[in-house]
Amino acid sequence: MKQQSKTIQKKAFIGILCSVILIFLDQFTKYLAVQHLKDQMPVVLWKNVLELSYLENRGAAFGIFQGKQYLFLIGGVLVLLLIGYIYGKIPAKKRFGLLRLCAVLVVSGAVGNMIDRMVQNYVVDFFYFS
């Protein structure tokens, strides 16, 4: 029982550490987007498929719910609580590693976007799929 508790604590620590690193990378890449893409022509990575293009997203996916920042903050907190709960229920077995990774990625993206919304009132996006 004690060994299982230590394993769960280790997995939680690794998840939190990875989230913090990914949140830092999220904010850093958004900083780079502001510095190098804002007011510039898009950088084409794959013609007619993918380009880097600066965008200030004041809504959700495809710009819906423009200007409803409080909804996004409340929703973000609820998502974080739900994923935290689910993460705690994921068995500490190796075969569930991909599921834990997905949870860490979703949490990191949600926190990164919440930081943008609180600080700037919009989310910096820079990946554009044609």
Side-chain angles (χ1 to χ4, degrees):
M1 183 81 155
K2 193 172 185 176
Q3 180 64 24
Q4 185 179 6
S5 178
K6 283 186 177 184
T7 302
I8 291 169
Q9 288 176 345
K10 182 180 175 184
K11 300 285 184 192
F13 175 77
I14 291 170
I16 292 168
L17 179 63
C18 289
S19 289
V20 169
I21 291 167
L22 289 171
I23 292 164
F24 172 79
L25 287 173
D26 174 76
Q27 293 298 298
F28 181 67
T29 57
K30 289 175 180 179
Y31 167 80
L32 291 176
V34 171
Q35 296 300 310
H36 299 286
L37 296 174
K38 188 173 183 177
D39 300 324
Q40 302 294 321
M41 292 297 297
V43 176
V44 177
L45 299 177
W46 188 357
K47 189 176 180 177
N48 298 322
V49 177
L50 176 64
E51 56 188 48
L52 301 177
S53 180
Y54 178 82
L55 174 72
E56 294 175 1
N57 189 349
R58 297 176 192 283
F62 310 110
I64 61 173
F65 299 118
Q66 294 275 333
K68 307 286 188 207
Q69 301 306 329
Y70 62 91
L71 285 176
F72 296 116
L73 293 175
I74 292 169
V77 169
L78 292 175
V79 165
L80 293 176
L81 292 172
L82 178 63
I83 291 176
Y85 174 77
I86 292 169
Y87 190 91
K89 296 290 185 182
I90 298 172
K93 296 180 180 174
K94 190 173 185 173
R95 68 181 173 148
F96 294 101
L98 189 57
L99 185 57
R100 281 192 296 280
L101 174 64
C102 290
V104 166
L105 291 172
V106 170
V107 164
S108 302
V111 171
N113 286 355
M114 287 174 64
I115 291 169
D116 282 2
R117 290 186 194 285
M118 289 189 298
V119 172
Q120 304 170 141
N121 213 26
Y122 57 85
V123 175
V124 172
D125 287 328
F126 56 91
F127 287 111
Y128 177 74
F129 293 91
S130 303

Coordinates of all heavy atoms in Angstrom, one line a residue, residues 25-70:
L25 N 6.9 26.7 -22.0 CA 7.2 26.7 -23.5 C 6.0 27.3 -24.3 O 6.2 28.0 -25.3 CB 7.3 25.2 -23.9 CG 8.6 24.6 -23.5 CD1 8.6 23.1 -23.9 CD2 9.8 25.2 -24.2
D26 N 4.8 27.1 -23.8 CA 3.6 27.8 -24.4 C 3.8 29.3 -24.4 O 3.6 29.9 -25.4 CB 2.3 27.3 -23.7 CG 1.1 28.0 -24.2 OD1 0.6 27.7 -25.3 OD2 0.6 29.0 -23.5
Q27 N 4.1 29.8 -23.3 CA 4.2 31.3 -23.1 C 5.4 31.8 -23.9 O 5.3 32.9 -24.5 CB 4.3 31.7 -21.7 CG 3.0 31.4 -20.9 CD 1.9 32.2 -21.4 OE1 1.9 33.4 -21.4 NE2 0.8 31.5 -21.8
F28 N 6.5 31.0 -23.9 CA 7.7 31.4 -24.7 C 7.4 31.5 -26.2 O 7.8 32.4 -26.9 CB 8.9 30.5 -24.4 CG 10.1 30.9 -25.1 CD1 10.8 32.1 -24.8 CD2 10.7 30.1 -26.0 CE1 12.0 32.4 -25.4 CE2 11.8 30.4 -26.7 CZ 12.5 31.6 -26.4
T29 N 6.8 30.4 -26.7 CA 6.5 30.4 -28.1 C 5.5 31.5 -28.5 O 5.6 32.1 -29.6 CB 5.9 29.0 -28.6 OG1 4.8 28.7 -27.9 CG2 7.0 28.0 -28.5
K30 N 4.6 31.8 -27.6 CA 3.7 33.0 -27.9 C 4.4 34.3 -27.9 O 4.1 35.2 -28.7 CB 2.5 33.0 -26.9 CG 1.5 31.8 -27.1 CD 0.5 31.7 -26.1 CE -0.5 30.6 -26.3 NZ -1.5 30.5 -25.2
Y31 N 5.4 34.4 -27.0 CA 6.2 35.6 -27.0 C 7.0 35.7 -28.3 O 7.0 36.8 -28.9 CB 7.2 35.5 -25.8 CG 8.3 36.5 -25.9 CD1 8.1 37.9 -25.5 CD2 9.6 36.2 -26.4 CE1 9.1 38.8 -25.6 CE2 10.6 37.1 -26.4 CZ 10.4 38.4 -26.1 OH 11.4 39.3 -26.2
L32 N 7.5 34.6 -28.8 CA 8.2 34.6 -30.1 C 7.3 35.0 -31.2 O 7.7 35.7 -32.1 CB 8.9 33.2 -30.3 CG 10.1 32.9 -29.4 CD1 10.5 31.4 -29.7 CD2 11.2 33.9 -29.6
A33 N 6.1 34.5 -31.1 CA 5.1 34.8 -32.2 C 4.8 36.3 -32.2 O 4.7 36.9 -33.3 CB 3.8 34.0 -32.0
V34 N 4.7 36.9 -31.1 CA 4.4 38.4 -31.0 C 5.7 39.1 -31.6 O 5.5 40.0 -32.4 CB 4.2 38.8 -29.5 CG1 4.1 40.3 -29.4 CG2 2.8 38.2 -29.0
Q35 N 6.8 38.7 -31.2 CA 8.1 39.3 -31.6 C 8.3 39.2 -33.1 O 8.8 40.1 -33.8 CB 9.3 38.8 -30.8 CG 9.2 39.1 -29.4 CD 9.2 40.6 -29.1 OE1 9.9 41.4 -29.6 NE2 8.2 41.0 -28.3
H36 N 8.0 38.0 -33.7 CA 8.5 37.7 -35.1 C 7.3 37.6 -36.1 O 7.6 37.7 -37.3 CB 9.3 36.5 -35.1 CG 10.5 36.6 -34.2 ND1 11.6 37.3 -34.6 CD2 10.8 36.1 -33.0 CE1 12.6 37.2 -33.7 NE2 12.1 36.5 -32.7
L37 N 6.1 37.5 -35.6 CA 5.0 37.3 -36.6 C 4.0 38.4 -36.6 O 3.3 38.6 -37.6 CB 4.3 36.0 -36.3 CG 5.1 34.7 -36.4 CD1 4.2 33.5 -35.9 CD2 5.5 34.4 -37.8
K38 N 3.9 39.2 -35.5 CA 2.9 40.2 -35.5 C 3.2 41.3 -36.5 O 4.4 41.7 -36.7 CB 2.9 40.9 -34.1 CG 1.8 41.9 -33.9 CD 1.7 42.4 -32.5 CE 0.5 43.3 -32.3 NZ 0.4 43.7 -30.9
D39 N 2.2 41.7 -37.3 CA 2.3 42.7 -38.4 C 3.3 42.2 -39.5 O 3.9 43.0 -40.2 CB 2.8 44.0 -37.8 CG 1.8 44.6 -36.8 OD1 0.6 44.4 -37.0 OD2 2.3 45.2 -35.8
Q40 N 3.5 40.9 -39.6 CA 4.3 40.3 -40.7 C 3.5 39.4 -41.6 O 2.4 39.0 -41.2 CB 5.5 39.5 -40.1 CG 6.4 40.3 -39.1 CD 7.1 41.4 -39.8 OE1 7.6 41.2 -40.9 NE2 7.3 42.5 -39.2
M41 N 4.0 39.1 -42.7 CA 3.4 38.2 -43.6 C 3.5 36.8 -43.0 O 4.5 36.5 -42.3 CB 4.0 38.2 -45.0 CG 3.8 39.5 -45.8 SD 2.1 39.8 -46.2 CE 1.7 38.4 -47.2
P42 N 2.5 35.9 -43.2 CA 2.6 34.5 -42.7 C 3.9 33.8 -43.2 O 4.3 34.0 -44.3 CB 1.4 33.8 -43.2 CG 0.4 35.0 -43.5 CD 1.3 36.1 -44.0
V43 N 4.4 32.9 -42.4 CA 5.5 32.0 -42.7 C 4.9 30.7 -43.2 O 4.3 30.0 -42.3 CB 6.5 31.9 -41.6 CG1 7.6 30.9 -41.9 CG2 7.0 33.2 -41.1
V44 N 5.0 30.4 -44.4 CA 4.5 29.1 -45.0 C 5.4 28.0 -44.6 O 6.6 28.0 -45.0 CB 4.2 29.2 -46.5 CG1 3.7 27.9 -47.0 CG2 3.3 30.4 -46.8
L45 N 4.9 27.0 -43.9 CA 5.6 25.8 -43.6 C 5.3 24.7 -44.5 O 6.2 23.9 -44.9 CB 5.3 25.3 -42.1 CG 5.7 26.3 -41.0 CD1 5.3 25.8 -39.7 CD2 7.2 26.7 -41.0
W46 N 4.1 24.6 -45.0 CA 3.6 23.6 -45.9 C 2.5 24.2 -46.7 O 1.4 24.5 -46.2 CB 3.1 22.4 -45.2 CG 2.8 21.2 -46.0 CD1 2.8 21.0 -47.3 CD2 2.3 19.9 -45.5 NE1 2.5 19.8 -47.7 CE2 2.1 19.1 -46.6 CE3 2.1 19.4 -44.2 CZ2 1.7 17.8 -46.4 CZ3 1.6 18.1 -44.1 CH2 1.5 17.3 -45.2
K47 N 2.9 24.5 -48.0 CA 2.0 25.3 -48.9 C 0.6 24.7 -48.9 O 0.4 23.5 -49.1 CB 2.5 25.3 -50.3 CG 1.8 26.3 -51.2 CD 2.4 26.4 -52.5 CE 1.6 27.3 -53.4 NZ 2.3 27.6 -54.7
N48 N -0.4 25.6 -48.7 CA -1.8 25.2 -48.7 C -2.2 24.3 -47.5 O -3.3 23.7 -47.6 CB -2.3 24.6 -50.0 CG -2.1 25.6 -51.2 OD1 -2.3 26.8 -51.0 ND2 -1.7 25.1 -52.3
V49 N -1.4 24.1 -46.5 CA -1.7 23.3 -45.4 C -1.4 24.0 -44.1 O -2.3 24.1 -43.3 CB -0.9 21.9 -45.5 CG1 -1.2 21.1 -44.2 CG2 -1.2 21.2 -46.7
L50 N -0.2 24.4 -43.9 CA 0.2 24.9 -42.6 C 1.1 26.2 -42.7 O 2.0 26.2 -43.5 CB 0.9 23.9 -41.7 CG 1.5 24.3 -40.4 CD1 0.4 24.6 -39.4 CD2 2.3 23.1 -39.8
E51 N 0.8 27.2 -41.9 CA 1.6 28.4 -41.9 C 1.6 29.0 -40.5 O 0.7 28.7 -39.7 CB 1.2 29.4 -42.9 CG -0.2 29.9 -42.9 CD -0.6 30.7 -44.0 OE1 -0.3 30.4 -45.2 OE2 -1.2 31.8 -43.8
L52 N 2.6 29.8 -40.2 CA 2.7 30.5 -38.9 C 2.1 31.9 -39.2 O 2.7 32.6 -40.1 CB 4.1 30.6 -38.4 CG 4.8 29.2 -38.1 CD1 6.2 29.4 -37.7 CD2 4.0 28.4 -37.1
S53 N 1.1 32.3 -38.5 CA 0.4 33.6 -38.7 C -0.1 34.1 -37.4 O -0.8 33.4 -36.7 CB -0.7 33.4 -39.7 OG -1.4 34.6 -40.0
Y54 N 0.3 35.3 -37.0 CA -0.1 35.9 -35.7 C -1.6 36.2 -35.7 O -2.2 36.7 -36.7 CB 0.7 37.1 -35.5 CG 0.3 37.8 -34.2 CD1 0.8 37.4 -33.0 CD2 -0.6 38.9 -34.2 CE1 0.5 38.0 -31.8 CE2 -1.0 39.5 -33.0 CZ -0.4 39.1 -31.8 OH -0.8 39.7 -30.6
L55 N -2.3 35.8 -34.6 CA -3.7 36.1 -34.5 C -4.0 36.3 -33.0 O -3.5 35.6 -32.1 CB -4.5 34.9 -35.0 CG -6.0 35.0 -34.7 CD1 -6.7 36.0 -35.6 CD2 -6.7 33.6 -34.9
E56 N -4.8 37.3 -32.7 CA -5.3 37.5 -31.3 C -6.7 37.0 -31.3 O -7.6 37.5 -31.9 CB -5.3 39.0 -31.0 CG -3.9 39.6 -31.0 CD -3.8 41.1 -30.8 OE1 -4.9 41.7 -30.6 OE2 -2.7 41.6 -30.7
N57 N -6.9 35.9 -30.6 CA -8.2 35.2 -30.5 C -8.9 35.7 -29.2 O -8.5 35.3 -28.1 CB -8.0 33.7 -30.5 CG -9.3 32.9 -30.6 OD1 -10.4 33.5 -30.5 ND2 -9.2 31.7 -30.8
R58 N -9.9 36.4 -29.4 CA -10.7 36.9 -28.3 C -11.9 36.0 -28.0 O -12.7 36.3 -27.1 CB -11.1 38.3 -28.5 CG -9.9 39.3 -28.6 CD -10.3 40.7 -29.0 NE -9.1 41.4 -29.4 CZ -8.2 41.9 -28.6 NH1 -8.4 41.8 -27.3 NH2 -7.2 42.6 -29.0
G59 N -12.0 34.9 -28.7 CA -13.1 34.0 -28.5 C -12.6 32.6 -28.3 O -11.5 32.4 -27.9
A60 N -13.4 31.6 -28.6 CA -13.0 30.2 -28.6 C -12.6 29.7 -30.0 O -12.3 30.6 -30.8 CB -14.1 29.4 -28.0
A61 N -12.7 28.5 -30.2 CA -12.4 27.9 -31.5 C -13.2 28.6 -32.6 O -14.4 28.8 -32.4 CB -12.7 26.4 -31.5
F62 N -12.6 29.0 -33.6 CA -13.2 29.7 -34.8 C -13.8 31.0 -34.4 O -14.7 31.5 -35.0 CB -14.3 28.8 -35.4 CG -13.8 27.4 -35.7 CD1 -14.2 26.3 -35.0 CD2 -12.8 27.2 -36.7 CE1 -13.8 25.0 -35.3 CE2 -12.3 25.9 -37.0 CZ -12.8 24.9 -36.3
G63 N -13.3 31.6 -33.2 CA -13.7 32.9 -32.8 C -15.1 33.0 -32.2 O -15.6 34.1 -32.0
I64 N -15.7 31.9 -31.8 CA -17.0 32.0 -31.1 C -16.9 32.5 -29.7 O -15.8 32.4 -29.1 CB -17.8 30.6 -31.2 CG1 -17.0 29.6 -30.4 CG2 -18.1 30.2 -32.6 CD1 -17.8 28.3 -30.2
F65 N -18.0 33.1 -29.2 CA -18.0 33.7 -27.9 C -17.0 34.8 -27.7 O -16.4 34.9 -26.6 CB -17.8 32.6 -26.8 CG -18.8 31.5 -26.8 CD1 -18.5 30.2 -27.0 CD2 -20.2 31.8 -26.6 CE1 -19.4 29.2 -27.0 CE2 -21.1 30.8 -26.6 CZ -20.7 29.5 -26.8
Q66 N -16.9 35.6 -28.7 CA -16.0 36.8 -28.6 C -16.3 37.7 -27.4 O -17.5 38.0 -27.1 CB -16.1 37.7 -29.9 CG -15.7 37.0 -31.1 CD -14.2 37.1 -31.4 OE1 -13.6 38.1 -30.9 NE2 -13.7 36.2 -32.1
G67 N -15.3 38.0 -26.6 CA -15.4 39.0 -25.5 C -16.1 38.4 -24.3 O -16.4 39.1 -23.3
K68 N -16.2 37.1 -24.2 CA -16.8 36.4 -23.0 C -15.7 35.8 -22.1 O -15.8 34.6 -21.8 CB -17.8 35.3 -23.4 CG -18.9 35.8 -24.4 CD -19.9 36.7 -23.7 CE -21.0 36.9 -24.7 NZ -21.7 38.1 -24.4
Q69 N -14.7 36.6 -21.8 CA -13.6 36.1 -21.1 C -13.9 35.4 -19.8 O -13.3 34.4 -19.4 CB -12.6 37.3 -20.8 CG -12.1 38.0 -22.0 CD -11.5 37.0 -23.1 OE1 -10.9 36.0 -22.8 NE2 -11.6 37.4 -24.3
Y70 N -14.9 35.9 -19.0 CA -15.3 35.3 -17.8 C -15.8 33.8 -18.0 O -15.5 33.0 -17.1 CB -16.3 36.1 -17.0 CG -17.7 36.2 -17.8 CD1 -18.7 35.3 -17.6 CD2 -17.9 37.2 -18.7 CE1 -19.9 35.4 -18.3 CE2 -19.0 37.3 -19.4 CZ -20.0 36.4 -19.2 OH -21.2 36.5 -19.9

